[in-house]
């Protein structure tokens, strides 16, 4: 990792951090690459790439199966990665951290395993209009199967959740689970998850948090939040694609049936039936992504060295700057709250120019932003738009990147804007 000696303690220089990311050193369309799509997937520092390389050069074998050195070594590395994950989210027990492919799989695991076993006709699952499709669709499938109902907590004008509606559902319906995203991927709203958990628990409901956009960007402590499940993806937090985590309260995970059946998740199989392995193996059927878990461990080391408070402080600064700079571009409409509860994501529209056109001009300048519904179509409907353009920031982005985007948006307006 670069040394960050010129910056005050507890902070870092994003331009120095960027030096650790080989992919960001290239030019695109002849221009330096400015990557502003980390909410979709983050880039990887050299230490993560090297950890993957080292794993496949020296440590690769299937785990838990061999009685030979290499297998034992791979198993130890996999267990060590799980311990790093547990420390990172302050989970009391690493065995409650289940490795999955991504946040989507973690959310599906809860819906299919817990939902099928616990939802009954007449029960309600409360979600919010800020959810990513991956915390909506599995619940639509499972509630339909179980005869249960979904209610969605609405947002106010600024994109904040209407907690009065949550209270209403908790008071008037048999709510078994509240599923909420910690940070909204399209609006950047940081939801008051601890407060939501307190209210849900008081009404006897469990709380499932989608941490895909929070765990990479701020300190997340499952004990302080006092939630029941937390789902997140490695690839959004500087780690490899193909690895994610479901953390759950031990006693809840222990009471849940398996999600997938097969090798590694059993204690004993006979022709008449099977019994299940202990946690976490019960939920990790088949050969896991050991190398990717090791890579995630390296990403966690890197983020821990930067300091998650510093990561959050950096994003608070850069998003404030971006909101100010983009507001100066005539015709721009910005979505989401402005304040302490805003993460490093900025969704916007520009006059009535289609977001794909908005994104195409920055691309020709080497600036990568996202355009579309961001897998949040119910939210887009609520906002009355079909799509937005979205810039999202991470540890390697600096104000210079925001300036390059703002300049490119001026060009968008000249080409596609009113009177063009
Ligand atoms: N939840 C949120 C809030 C997200 O932003 C995303 C991805 O963008 C997901 C879930 C799904 O993540 P993955 O595709 O890694 O499963």
């Amino acid at each position: 990792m670069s040394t960050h000696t010129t910056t005050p303690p507890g902070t870092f220089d994003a331009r120095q951090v960027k030096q650790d990311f080989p992919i960001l050193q290239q030019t695109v369309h002849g221009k330096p690459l400015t990557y502003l799509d980390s909410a979709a997937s983050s880039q990887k520092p050299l230490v993560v790439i090297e950890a993957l390389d080292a794993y496949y050069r020296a440590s690769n074998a299937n785990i838990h199966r061999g009685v030979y050195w290499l297998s034992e070594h791979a198993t130890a590395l996999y267990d060590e990665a799980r311990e790093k994950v547990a420390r990172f989210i302050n989970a009391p027990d690493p065995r409650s951290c289940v490795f999955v492919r991504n946040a989507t799989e973690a959310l599906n695991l809860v819906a299919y395993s817990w939902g099928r076993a616990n939802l009954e006709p007449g029960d309600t699952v409360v979600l919010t209009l800020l959810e990513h499709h991956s915390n909506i669709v599995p619940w639509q499938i499972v509630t339909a199967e179980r005869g249960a109902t979904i209610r969605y907590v609405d947002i106010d004008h600024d994109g904040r959740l209407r907690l009065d509606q949550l209270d209403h559902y908790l008071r008037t319906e048999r709510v078994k689970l509240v599923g909420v995203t910690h940070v909204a991927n399209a609006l950047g709203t940081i939801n008051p998850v601890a407060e939501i958990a307190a209210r849900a628990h008081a009404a006897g409901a469990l709380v499932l948090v989608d941490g895909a956009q929070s765990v990479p960007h701020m300190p997340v402590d499952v004990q302080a939040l006092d939630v029941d499940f937390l789902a997140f993806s490695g690839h959004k937090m500087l780690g490899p694609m193909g690895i994610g985590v479901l953390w759950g309260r031990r006693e809840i995970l222990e009471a849940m049936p398996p999600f997938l059946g097969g090798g590694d998740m059993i204690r004993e199989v006979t022709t008449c039936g099977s019994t299940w392995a202990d946690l976490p193996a019960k939920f990790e059927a088949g050969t896991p992504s050991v190398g990717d878990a090791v890579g995630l461990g390296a990403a966690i080391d890197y983020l821990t060295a930067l300091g998650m408070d510093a990561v959050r402080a950096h994003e608070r600064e850069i998003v404030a700057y971006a909101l100010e700079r983009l507001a100066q571009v005539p015709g721009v409409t910005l979505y989401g709250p402005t304040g302490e509860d805003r993460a490093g994501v900025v969704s916007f529209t520009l006059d009535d120019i289609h977001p794909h056109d908005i994104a195409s001009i920055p691309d020709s300048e080497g600036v990568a932003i996202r355009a579309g519904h961001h897998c949040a179509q119910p939210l887009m409907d609520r906002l009355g738009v079909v799509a937005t353009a979205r810039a999202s920031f991470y540890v390697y982005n600096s104000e210079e990147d925001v300036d390059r985007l703002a300049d490119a948006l001026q060009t968008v307006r000249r080409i596609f804007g009113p009177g063009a």
Side-chain angles (χ1 to χ4, degrees), residues 39-40 102-104 107 132 134 181 183 185 210 212-213 233 235-236:
N102 46 38
T104 301
L107 296 164
H132 186 279
S134 59
T181 189
V183 169
N185 70 314
D210 175 355
Q213 299 292 349
S233 292
H235 70 94
K236 293 183 198 284

